[in-house]
Amino acid sequence: MGDIAKATGKTVRAIHHYEEVGLLRPHARSKGRYRLYDNAALTRVRWIGKLHDLGLSLSQIQQIVSTWESSSSAPGAMSRIRDVYQQKLEEVREQIAHLETLEHELVASLAYLDTCETCDPAELVAACTNCNLHDKSQAEPELVAGIRGGNGHCRQGSHHR
């Protein structure tokens, strides 16, 4: 069990748990009664890890395995698995779009904050609300504006209710 744990980066306890919940079976036992796993088990553990990375719980993975094992036909089983993967692909694409939006916000915030390095070191933080170094025609990134959020300061005299 230790070999498969090392090969997959999982703990021995995780491997044992996968066996307990029916997701993994040793292909044999040694004379000393140690569990022996083959390459298919290694593939299964990596597959479980990838499904975890996609946000599936062990019970959801158990359901996939159960669906697979109880299907009366290969096309039917593959269709069900395909549906799960299609849904996950849509979710991953939404996450990627969200992360790309955050990336652009971070890039804009860093560019904005790079200008702050040219500010007089004696300048007080309170002066940041009336900074003359930034282009007033461009909106201040929310990741920067939020620093002052809730402290009563509004940029350029705008007030929101």
Side-chain angles (χ1 to χ4, degrees), residues 15 29 61-62 66 72 79 83-86 90 96 99 120 127 131 140-141 143:
I15 301 299
R29 292 217 179 231
I61 296 169
Q62 286 174 296
S66 175
S72 59
S79 176
D83 290 345
V84 171
Y85 288 0
Q86 182 65 46
E90 291 168 17
I96 289 169
L99 290 173
D120 181 356
C131 179
E140 183 178 47
L143 284 173

Side-chain angles (χ1 to χ4, degrees), residues 89-102:
L89 177 59
E90 291 168 17
E91 291 173 15
V92 165
R93 286 180 173 159
E94 287 173 9
Q95 289 174 341
I96 289 169
H98 178 70
L99 290 173
E100 286 175 341
T101 299
L102 289 174

Side-chain angles (χ1 to χ4, degrees), residues 8 24 34 65 98 104 124 152:
T8 60
L24 186 65
Y34 290 103
V65 171
H98 178 70
H104 294 299
L124 298 177

